[in-house]
Amino acid sequence: MVKAIRITETGAPEVMKWVDVELGEPGPGEVLIRHHACGLNYIDVYFRSGYYAQPLPGGIGMEGAGVIEKVGPDVTHVKVGDRVAYAGRPTGAYAEARIMPADILVKLPDSISFEQGAAMMLQGLTVQYLLNDSYKVQKGDTVLFHAIAGGVGLIACQWLKAIGATVIGTVGSPEKAEIAKAYGCDHVILYREEDFVKRVKEITNGKGVPVAYDAVGKDTFMQTLDCVSPRGMAVSFGGASGSPPLLDLGILASKGSLKVTRPTVATYVLNRSLLEPMAADLFDKVSSGKVKIEIKQRYALKDAVEAHRDLEGRKTTGSTILLP
């Protein structure tokens, strides 16, 4: 028996329960992984609250790092004893150990700790595709990134500076503004106190930005479009404040032939031909020191309810992990 967080219904953080779980043997294409650390991400809130659907009763959590203890038939790219990390479905990472599909696992380099691995896989892979595939950021680009002091935001800020981009970031408090500045954000906007569209236009001399990244959603997305220069790209990759409004495509024409995309990490991690080079790029950025993974909050896994309350209450910054 192992301990794990399970939900039998969707709702507030309190629906998560710390329970005993019986693990069987890994089947074809599966492994048993013993977690050393698990990641906390806003997508976990979406599954817990019912915003994203999943079969119930079920697990929760999409990111972890640990050691493989058992390997089922037809698994060839990892073996017992390997240090591994992952991000993606199926949910169930909030567990001391779990049986899971092996196809989303990647080997963790010795230079990266289990805690770093659990703190960076989902957020780091998200940043990798945002800056390389959703839009290919070039040296000299000016980029708008909302929630720059969050887990994805701080990784993105460092990665963008390594590319040679100018970073405009929005935050919700003066304390988060100081964190963003410490990570190299060039222009920090307190979006609750300032008109971020006006500030972006001031910073760019009226041109706007070629790309804007928005995981806030409902509260910001339509204004985000006003920050993008003609023929530029708006990337919606989350909805912390709720889903963005339904979009009349004619608006994109009137604002200058804009492009909009809504990527998700699942599209990438379920394709090993994409996952492996993305993970290698992420590991290289971290191992070289260009991107530092600094864990700002640690909670015991059994205290996942408290962690979710703090995450939804905007009390967290940067990366957060849960420790079994």
Side-chain angles (χ1 to χ4, degrees):
M1 301 285 279
V2 299
K3 287 285 191 179
I5 296 289
R6 289 287 186 268
I7 58 174
T8 59
E9 60 181 333
T10 57
E14 290 73 23
V15 301
M16 296 186 294
K17 306 298 182 184
W18 182 239
V19 298
D20 292 317
V21 176
E22 184 93 37
L23 293 182
E25 295 295 315
E30 294 181 332
V31 300
L32 189 157
I33 178 175
R34 175 75 55 176
H35 286 133
H36 286 236
C38 313
L40 176 73
N41 297 281
Y42 213 92
I43 195 171
D44 303 343
V45 174
Y46 297 160
F47 280 105
R48 189 213 73 219
S49 66
Y51 181 66
Y52 285 176
Q54 70 168 349
L56 294 177
I60 192 165
M62 294 180 63
E63 179 179 43
V67 174
I68 294 177
E69 292 191 342
K70 295 182 181 180
V71 173
D74 305 322
V75 175
T76 58
H77 68 286
V78 290
K79 65 184 184 302
V80 171
D82 279 349
R83 302 172 72 252
V84 294
Y86 66 91
R89 299 180 76 168
T91 57
Y94 290 13
E96 293 175 333
R98 68 182 294 202
I99 291 173
M100 64 177 294
D103 58 359
I104 65 170
L105 293 170
V106 293
K107 293 180 182 179
L108 195 62
D110 291 339
S111 59
I112 297 174
S113 70
F114 290 117
E115 290 196 358
Q116 287 177 310
M120 75 182 207
M121 286 300 293
L122 194 145
Q123 295 170 349
L125 291 175
T126 297
V127 171
Q128 202 284 337
Y129 75 69
L130 288 176
L131 306 190
N132 289 279
D133 191 65
S134 300
Y135 178 91
K136 182 65 175 176
V137 178
Q138 304 290 333
K139 182 178 181 179
D141 282 344
T142 298
V143 172
L144 172 63
F145 209 105
H146 286 295
I148 197 71
V152 174
L154 291 181
I155 294 173
C157 187
Q158 297 175 81
W159 204 310
L160 286 164
K161 296 309 296 179
I163 292 170
T166 297
V167 183
I168 304 172
T170 69
V171 296
S173 70
E175 294 77 18
K176 291 186 176 182
E178 292 305 312
I179 292 170
K181 291 174 185 176
Y183 277 76
C185 186
D186 298 284
H187 305 277
V188 184
I189 301 171
L190 290 160
Y191 76 92
R192 292 192 177 104
E193 300 176 13
E194 303 175 80
D195 181 337
F196 71 81
V197 177
K198 181 180 178 182
R199 286 285 292 119
V200 168
K201 291 297 180 68
E202 290 172 352
I203 293 164
T204 60
N205 296 316
K207 296 177 181 178
V209 294
V211 62
Y213 296 99
D214 190 325
V216 177
K218 183 180 68 174
D219 290 351
T220 57
F221 190 71
M222 297 309 293
Q223 291 79 21
T224 295
L225 295 178
D226 292 327
C227 298
V228 179
S229 58
R231 299 177 55 244
M233 172 74 78
V235 184
S236 171
F237 66 102
S241 66
S243 296
L246 294 177
L247 184 61
D248 177 353
L249 294 181
I251 292 174
L252 303 181
S254 67
K255 293 184 183 296
S257 301
L258 303 186
K259 297 179 281 289
V260 172
T261 185
R262 178 47 172 104
T264 174
V265 72
T267 305
Y268 295 85
V269 300
L270 294 178
N271 183 336
R272 289 204 69 82
S273 67
L274 297 175
L275 172 61
E276 290 183 358
M278 287 172 62
D281 189 16
L282 172 61
F283 294 154
D284 176 69
K285 291 292 188 298
V286 174
S287 297
S288 68
K290 292 178 181 177
V291 173
K292 293 180 173 59
I293 305 299
E294 296 184 359
I295 298 160
K296 301 293 188 180
Q297 295 85 208
R298 291 174 172 83
Y299 298 82
L301 179 56
K302 64 182 178 61
D303 295 329
V305 170
E306 179 187 356
H308 273 232
R309 287 184 187 135
D310 289 348
L311 180 63
E312 289 185 273
R314 309 289 176 92
K315 295 179 180 178
T316 63
T317 60
S319 298
T320 305
I321 59 170
L322 306 171
L323 298 173

